[in-house]
Amino acid sequence: MMCAEFERGAYMPNSSGEQVSTYTASDFDLPTYQNLPVVTDDVVFSNPSFMSNEIEQMNSNLNGRLNLTDDPNLSSIILNDGMVLSTNNNLVTSSKDEFVNIEPMARDRCNTWPMRRPAEMNQTLPMSQDKIDEEISSSNSSLQKDDGSLDEYMPQHRVRRQSLYSQGSPESEIDDPACKKSNSRRNAWGNMSYADLITQAILSSPEKRLTLSQVYEWMVQNVPYFRDKGDSNSSAGWKALVPCPSHGLSVQDAPSSSYQSMTSISSSMCTGSLSHGLPSVASLDPWVSTSESQLFPYGYPHPQPSTSGSMLQIHDLVPPLRKKRIRRRNPDSIPQKKPNPWGEDSYSDLIAKALESAPGGRMKLNEIYQWFSDNVPYFKERSSQEHAAGWKNSIRHNLSLHSRFMRIQNEGAGKSSWWVINPDAKPGRNPRRRSATMETTTKTILDKKRRGVRKRMDMVNESSLSSLNESAQSQRDFLDRDEGLGASDYEPFRSRTQSNVSMPGQRMTPPMEGFEDYKFPPWSGQQISQPASGATINDLLDRTDQIRLDTEEFRQMRASGQLVHPVKTEQKNEPPSNQQPFYQELCVVRGPDNLQNPLLCNQFSMSASSAPKPASMQCASNASFYPYGVHNSQNRLWNSTNPVNSMALNSNGLPIDLENVNTFESSNLDYDMEAVLRHELNSANGLSFDL
DNA sequence: ACACTTGTTTTTCGTT
DNA sequence: AACGAAAAACAAGTGT
């Protein structure tokens, strides 16, 4: 019988047929392996390689008596209940039929939940009490017929199972009720439904009632599958499923647990301490009516003998009022929430703190990693290569995602970039560089911008541009046509190739020659009037969130047929050559006499450098003005010796980044506006014509 | 060639 | 809707 403390086990005979050894459960270092079979059973779904690690660790706890590495023929461990722990194929199975064909399931891309709910779940949930009983009965019978035969559970069954999920003819098997019933489990933790588990949780409490948080904790403590999913994120999925009637947990679905019980739980605010008042495993009431092996065939805690418990009856539970959940917050109380396992700070908050603490306010990626490990215990405990991959990935993700952070190219060969806090970032939240999902957000953004642009266009045309009505109408026509275009026509998100940091085949931004020792001022808390750091032109250029069309300029431009200053300019005078540029000064290199999109700048410099340069256009960039990399000889960008290249202007004075690159000759307002629109749709933030 | 690091982007799910 | 976490795909560069 499988239970928390499996009494005895035996090593599987090796290939020579000799019995290697025997052991007792006391050899295991409890409680880590108290529920080993179940734990590893879970692992089968999520990470097959973990099985070997578990066993290796277990072996370590056995003082090396289980020498897996030196005995490749040692294929399995048999527990006395028939559970088989296979070490050579990472398969964990048991004598029970339902274990036979468990197979690691392929996960869809970005599927963060470890296993897709089996298709049959939709049919089995809601599950009636009859079905629960049937399941329990079936489970029990399968247990009883355990004969300990190993061959039955070894790889040949896996092959058979594979056909179920692979290219074979799954329909025949899937449609076979017998096949389903005998060969699969409903859930990763077993055949018990959420309703069943909740029922047992409630029954386990002395008062036959639990708060939702107590149910959560019970699940974590008593169902090994959830044991490592108790943190806020890992538990999000199953916690959402637990109390929700819409997931098939309803009165008629699971009378023993009952919708009432669950809504009762749901109505209880999760404000209490998780551990407060929760019955411990040791104090759990027994499962009346069924044995623990029936309810927890995979190693659930062994309940103590019943003394006073009785099966919870549906009528024992008082149906709660279904009212809207109200979050009450005591303004005087200090928030105790800990949204993440490491504390209240988000990744971006921690990154910001790291950067703020760094000398010069800059850090390389690996330094940020190190800061996390050094300063946050949670990450320190997970600083091994194996365990750090996830949060390091998240750090990189956050650095790239948030406009709060800014990357400055480190020009040393092979050196990673400097990361600094974007001085443009406002206190508090800042917009993401990109939206969450293309599908869900793109259309909304496009629609908003189009509406706004159209409105502004109408205003322009009605107020002062009567001579350009025809062109404006063209713009409206363009916009109307645009309605039918897909997102790809505008690419409001930075494509990889348009990124300012990762251009294919060229990760180099302008070098910082001569400025390696420049002292980066701390960014935190500074206003944008602070002196610029070593931000490179490309970094600065990409801040397209300041675009604003000056009304008078814009009108003049339009009146003259040239959209000379479509970008916000603050008409700064060129600073003294020996003065550190101010950040805003660097920002305005995107103005009419500079580029906004470094990629396009690059394009221009390489493919359109022959474009005539208006004599009136003065290059604001020179080595003294942009000491942090404006003189990129490699890319020939911002080369002070070649002002033509530094002029991101088409023949009509239109900034190239606002122009479709192949329309240099055009001075048509239609093109101008189209370019503006396109640019805006490519920019991260909203369009502001300020008309 | 391969492993690893760095960086970008997308997706999913849960929370606010 | 925006945000955050987690996971993942992918690309490019570097080191061995």
Side-chain angles (χ1 to χ4, degrees), chain A residues 213-240:
Chain A
S213 58
Q214 289 171 333
V215 173
Y216 292 160
E217 187 174 32
W218 186 93
M219 300 276 279
V220 171
Q221 288 188 350
N222 298 293
V223 184
Y225 176 81
F226 298 112
R227 190 169 56 183
D228 61 342
K229 298 176 177 60
D231 59 83
S232 61
N233 291 298
S234 300
S235 64
W238 64 265
K239 281 184 177 177

Side-chain angles (χ1 to χ4, degrees), chain A residues 302-475:
Chain A
H302 197 140
Q304 294 179 343
S306 173
T307 55
S308 61
S310 61
M311 180 62 79
L312 183 65
Q313 299 300 310
I314 186 169
H315 53 265
D316 294 335
L317 300 168
V318 179
L321 293 175
R322 301 186 67 181
K323 60 182 180 182
K324 186 170 183 174
R325 180 175 158 180
I326 300 174
R327 295 178 61 86
R328 294 173 183 168
R329 182 174 298 171
N330 183 354
D332 297 328
S333 66
I334 300 173
Q336 298 294 317
K337 67 173 185 178
K338 192 178 177 184
N340 296 308
W342 54 85
E344 293 187 29
D345 290 324
S346 65
Y347 278 110
S348 60
D349 292 335
L350 291 174
I351 294 170
K353 286 183 177 180
L355 295 176
E356 290 168 5
S357 69
R362 63 177 186 176
M363 272 185 163
K364 295 176 184 175
L365 180 63
N366 59 353
E367 293 173 342
I368 298 175
Y369 291 160
Q370 192 60 48
W371 187 93
F372 271 64
S373 291
D374 293 342
N375 295 277
V376 185
Y378 177 86
F379 298 111
K380 186 174 188 176
E381 297 167 0
R382 291 160 179 77
S383 55
S384 67
Q385 187 164 2
E386 179 186 5
H387 296 103
W391 58 264
K392 286 182 177 178
N393 188 12
S394 291
I395 288 173
R396 295 195 304 272
H397 164 78
N398 276 265
L399 285 169
S400 291
L401 181 68
H402 295 292
S403 58
R404 185 180 185 179
F405 308 114
M406 197 170 70
R407 191 177 70 83
I408 299 172
Q409 183 69 48
N410 187 339
E411 291 308 320
K415 293 181 180 177
S416 59
S417 306
W418 294 110
W419 286 97
V420 300
I421 294 176
N422 186 348
D424 246 357
K426 307 178 188 72
R429 287 179 172 174
N430 281 274
R432 289 176 167 183
R433 288 196 175 113
R434 291 162 295 278
S435 296
T437 55
M438 183 78 78
E439 287 74 10
T440 59
T441 317
T442 298
K443 192 175 186 307
T444 302
I445 293 174
L446 288 171
D447 289 345
K448 280 185 180 179
K449 292 194 173 184
R450 288 167 188 162
R451 281 195 297 268
V453 169
R454 184 184 293 108
K455 186 176 180 180
R456 289 163 187 145
M457 283 297 301
D458 291 338
M459 291 173 61
V460 168
N461 290 316
E462 290 170 8
S463 60
S464 63
L465 296 175
S466 58
S467 63
L468 296 172
N469 274 350
E470 187 175 349
S471 296
Q473 182 59 48
S474 299
Q475 287 303 310

Side-chain angles (χ1 to χ4, degrees), chain A residues 432-563:
Chain A
R432 289 176 167 183
R433 288 196 175 113
R434 291 162 295 278
S435 296
T437 55
M438 183 78 78
E439 287 74 10
T440 59
T441 317
T442 298
K443 192 175 186 307
T444 302
I445 293 174
L446 288 171
D447 289 345
K448 280 185 180 179
K449 292 194 173 184
R450 288 167 188 162
R451 281 195 297 268
V453 169
R454 184 184 293 108
K455 186 176 180 180
R456 289 163 187 145
M457 283 297 301
D458 291 338
M459 291 173 61
V460 168
N461 290 316
E462 290 170 8
S463 60
S464 63
L465 296 175
S466 58
S467 63
L468 296 172
N469 274 350
E470 187 175 349
S471 296
Q473 182 59 48
S474 299
Q475 287 303 310
R476 280 194 291 270
D477 294 341
F478 159 73
L479 290 170
D480 289 340
R481 290 197 308 270
D482 175 37
E483 296 293 343
L485 297 177
S488 59
D489 295 297
Y490 290 99
E491 298 180 305
F493 303 91
R494 290 192 303 180
S495 69
R496 185 175 182 82
T497 54
Q498 289 179 322
S499 167
N500 61 324
V501 274
S502 183
M503 290 181 279
Q506 176 214 347
R507 297 188 69 175
M508 299 294 287
T509 46
M512 301 175 67
E513 299 154 3
F515 301 92
E516 303 290 341
D517 297 327
Y518 176 73
K519 186 179 190 329
F520 283 69
W523 294 104
S524 175
Q526 294 184 1
Q527 303 303 311
I528 61 174
S529 60
Q530 291 289 335
S533 75
T536 62
I537 284 298
N538 278 3
D539 291 308
L540 300 173
L541 289 177
D542 196 52
R543 295 184 197 134
T544 55
D545 55 342
Q546 294 187 353
I547 296 162
R548 180 167 55 84
L549 298 185
D550 180 88
T551 301
E552 287 304 315
E553 279 184 290
F554 184 58
R555 290 175 180 171
Q556 291 174 7
M557 288 184 294
R558 300 194 63 169
S560 64
Q562 283 189 329
L563 192 59

